[in-house]
């Protein structure tokens, strides 16, 4: 009887510990999501104002200061995204979104993004693509790009002389990517722990990061059913190889048409934060658009009732009536023959937010902080062919 009673107590204790662990994990994920939302709003002000400042007349010293501010903001945003990704992976909430993509275009995009950093350090960034790369593959292009950018950024960060190269070649079941550098190399004793969380190689660049990047790369690669390997010798550089099983789509998806929608447009911006509104308005007016700003959903509905707009940029977290409700009210009130494009602009970081925005009737989705290029692209997409982006 005592043994049975002790066994029952052990089972109850194990169940309580499991429930406490799940509750702690959920609380941590919720805390990070809330923290992300609160940080992204002021980050929009910091990075957006820096972008606007760079478009004004600055002397060389002021230009360097503004660039440094922009780089620091980008690093802070990366640390925040890394922490959120890790929390989602732990909670089992990070889901891959496979879709047809062009591997050649993806790799060229990565190379283009890295060229600026390589040029600033005075080293070469080389792209080597096999001739037989498939035209299209099925996979989560955003997460694949995240892996390659993380590895390429690390290579550039630790390489002071020579070059960094990004290569891709076809395998029996997908692709193999390679990121090689002529940096100092990684001691064999440090190689195994590099893929663990909060671990970094020793060096002067150690402080420039959280030590989460490679851990997240490993988690993402494993989620895709692939593998990641490191070859390195001290004094001879390092090479990371990523193998991903990627199937070819049954029918190649049509290539996206060039985005139209240039020129001046009359836009309604619904945003309750005055600094964020000033940033978005400034970025849009710089492109020649006319922007009317209101601070809540009721004011937006009043503007739409007596004025005509070509698109609406809508914050999701508004006082009183939130962005989802505003979008539904707009769709209910508009005539059948007219479809007003609505772009969600939000500081939220949840994985379901974009799907919920589509269900509410929105056509585009942007996460803060936003850049001028992101705004231009999103507007061009919804203004070019609005009938092609209606929610399903």
């Amino acid at each position: 009887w005592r043994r049975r009673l002790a066994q029952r107590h052990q089972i109850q204790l194990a169940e309580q510990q499991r429930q406490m662990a799940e509750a702690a994990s959920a609380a941590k994920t919720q805390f990070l999501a809330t923290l992300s939302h609160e940080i992204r709003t002021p980050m929009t002000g910091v990075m957006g104002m820096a972008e606007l400042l760079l478009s004004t007349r600055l002397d060389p010293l002021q230009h360097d200061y503004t660039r440094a501010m922009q780089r620091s903001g980008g690093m802070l945003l990366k640390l925040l995204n890394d922490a959120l990704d890790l929390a989602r992976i732990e909670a089992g909430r990070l889901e891959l979104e496979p879709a047809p993509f062009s591997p050649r275009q993806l790799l060229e995009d990565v190379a283009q993004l890295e060229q600026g950093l390589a040029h600033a350090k005075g080293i070469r960034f080389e792209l080597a693509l096999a001739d037989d790369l498939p035209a299209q593959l099925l996979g989560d292009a955003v997460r694949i790009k995240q892996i390659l950018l993380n590895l390429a950024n690390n290579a550039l960060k630790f390489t002071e002389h020579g070059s960094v190269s990004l290569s891709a070649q076809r395998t029996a079941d997908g692709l193999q990517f390679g990121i090689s550098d002529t940096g100092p190399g990684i001691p064999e004793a440090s190689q195994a722990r590099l893929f663990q969380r909060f671990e970094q190689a020793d060096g002067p660049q150690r402080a420039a990061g959280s030590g989460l990047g490679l851990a997240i790369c490993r988690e993402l690669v494993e989620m895709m059913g692939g593998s990641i390997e490191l070859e390195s010798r001290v004094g001879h550089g390092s090479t990371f190889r990523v193998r991903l099983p990627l199937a070819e789509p049954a029918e190649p998806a049509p290539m996206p048409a060039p985005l139209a929608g240039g020129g001046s447009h009359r836009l309604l911006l619904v945003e309750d934060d005055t600094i964020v509104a000033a940033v978005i308005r400034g970025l849009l007016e710089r492109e020649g658009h006319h922007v009317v700003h209101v601070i809540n959903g009721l004011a937006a509905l009043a503007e739409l009732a007596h004025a005509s707009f070509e698109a609406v940029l809508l914050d999701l977290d508004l006082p009183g009536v939130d962005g989802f409700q505003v979008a539904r009210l707009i769709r209910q009130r508009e005539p059948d023959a007219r479809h007003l494009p609505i772009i969600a602009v939000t500081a939220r970081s949840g994985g379901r937010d974009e799907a919920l925005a589509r269900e509410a009737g929105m056509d585009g989705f942007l996460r803060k902080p936003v850049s001028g290029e992101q705004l231009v692209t999103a507007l061009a997409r919804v203004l070019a062919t609005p009938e092609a982006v209606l929610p399903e």
Side-chain angles (χ1 to χ4, degrees), residues 85-260:
D85 281 344
L86 202 57
R88 289 197 192 105
I89 290 169
E90 282 188 345
R93 295 180 182 174
L94 184 66
E95 297 180 0
L96 300 176
E97 299 178 4
F101 72 96
S102 166
R104 188 173 294 274
Q105 183 63 53
L106 182 146
L107 290 156
E108 288 174 355
D109 290 346
V110 171
Q112 185 177 15
L113 289 169
E114 298 301 326
Q115 288 288 357
L117 179 58
H119 180 73
K121 294 193 70 172
I123 59 179
R124 300 186 310 278
F125 189 89
E126 301 167 349
L127 182 62
L129 305 181
D131 295 332
D132 63 343
L133 286 183
Q136 286 194 332
L137 288 170
L138 195 62
D140 191 328
V142 172
R143 294 300 180 181
I144 296 172
K145 187 180 290 188
Q146 179 182 354
I147 294 167
L148 298 179
L149 283 172
N150 211 318
L151 295 173
N153 282 335
N154 279 349
L156 288 169
K157 183 170 70 174
F158 287 96
T159 302
E160 297 298 332
H161 307 285
S163 65
V164 172
S165 66
L166 170 62
S167 63
Q169 60 188 42
R170 195 169 190 163
T171 61
D173 61 347
L175 290 180
Q176 175 177 291
F177 304 98
I179 297 90
S180 300
D181 63 63
T182 58
I186 302 169
E188 188 173 349
S190 301
Q191 292 181 22
R193 63 180 178 85
L194 267 188
F195 292 99
Q196 299 172 9
R197 296 167 188 176
F198 308 109
E199 293 287 351
Q200 293 176 285
D202 292 326
Q205 302 87 351
R206 179 182 174 88
S210 63
L212 290 175
L214 288 177
I216 291 171
C217 285
R218 178 178 58 82
E219 300 269 11
L220 290 174
V221 168
E222 289 178 356
M223 285 179 68
M224 297 179 191
S227 63
I228 182 169
E229 300 171 356
L230 166 63
E231 290 183 11
S232 183
R233 285 193 332 178
V234 175
H236 292 80
S238 306
T239 298
F240 286 87
R241 290 189 178 86
V242 178
R243 294 183 179 87
L244 295 177
L246 301 167
E248 294 190 42
E251 294 183 6
M255 296 303 291
L259 294 176

Side-chain angles (χ1 to χ4, degrees), residues 20-50:
M20 290 174 62
E22 289 179 352
S25 178
K28 179 179 66 176
T29 303
Q30 182 60 41
F31 169 75
L32 285 171
T34 303
L35 184 66
S36 167
H37 182 277
E38 296 304 318
I39 291 178
R40 283 175 187 276
T41 297
M43 281 304 299
T44 303
V46 172
M47 298 182 70
M49 287 298 182

